[in-house]
């Protein structure tokens, strides 16, 4: 079961990275470097959610299933927001600094962002 979970996690991360790059951020960046950076964001998210659950079990040794799920889902939501921000700002950042501000605020760019 653990091997299947790890395999699914790796495959879904690779697919999600491709989709984020092509659809969400419309980035031209490709290659293993992008997947490696994205993988690091997944590892940080995993550490964050695991840390949240460990803290819960330290504060409350036997939490109810509802409390445990609430902590996990809250931590996952925060980790997801943080991961999205890191992907946008770091992984899929526009490396070409020659774009002007006027071009990035064009009507088409603003419409795509909305």
């Amino acid at each position: 079961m653990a091997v299947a979970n790890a395999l699914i996690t790796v495959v879904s991360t690779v697919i999600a990275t491709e989709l984020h790059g092509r659809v969400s951020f419309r980035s031209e960046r490709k290659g293993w470097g992008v997947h490696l950076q994205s993988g690091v964001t997944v590892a940080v998210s995993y550490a964050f959610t695991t840390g949240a659950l460990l803290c819960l079990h330290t504060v409350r040794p036997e939490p109810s299933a509802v409390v445990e799920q609430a902590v996990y889902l809250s931590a996952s939501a925060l980790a997801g927001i943080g991961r999205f921000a890191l992907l946008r700002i770091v992984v899929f950042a526009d490396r070409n600094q020659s774009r002007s501000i006027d071009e990035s605020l064009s009507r088409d760019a603003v419409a795509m962002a909305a």
Side-chain angles (χ1 to χ4, degrees):
M1 191 63 119
V3 172
N5 188 27
L7 181 64
I8 292 298
T9 300
V10 169
V11 170
S12 66
T13 299
V14 169
I15 292 170
T17 301
E18 283 297 318
L19 289 174
H20 278 309
R22 293 176 187 206
V23 178
S24 299
F25 305 124
R26 303 213 186 271
S27 175
E28 297 297 323
R29 293 194 64 208
K30 297 179 185 338
W32 289 108
V34 171
H35 289 290
L36 181 62
Q37 288 177 327
S38 179
V40 169
T41 66
V42 170
V44 169
S45 296
Y46 174 77
F48 182 75
T49 55
T50 301
L53 288 174
L54 289 173
C55 286
L56 170 65
H57 284 279
T58 300
V59 172
R60 189 180 236 177
E62 294 184 29
S64 69
V66 172
V67 170
E68 198 169 42
Q69 282 299 309
V71 168
Y72 177 75
L73 292 174
S74 299
S76 292
L78 289 173
I81 292 168
R83 184 170 183 266
F84 184 85
L86 282 173
L87 287 173
R88 178 71 182 116
I89 295 167
V90 177
V91 177
F92 293 110
D94 186 12
R95 304 286 189 221
N96 185 4
Q97 299 299 327
S98 65
R99 280 180 43 177
S100 68
I101 292 174
D102 293 336
E103 182 182 333
S104 65
L105 293 177
S106 70
R107 182 177 180 166
D108 291 335
V110 171
M112 279 301 210

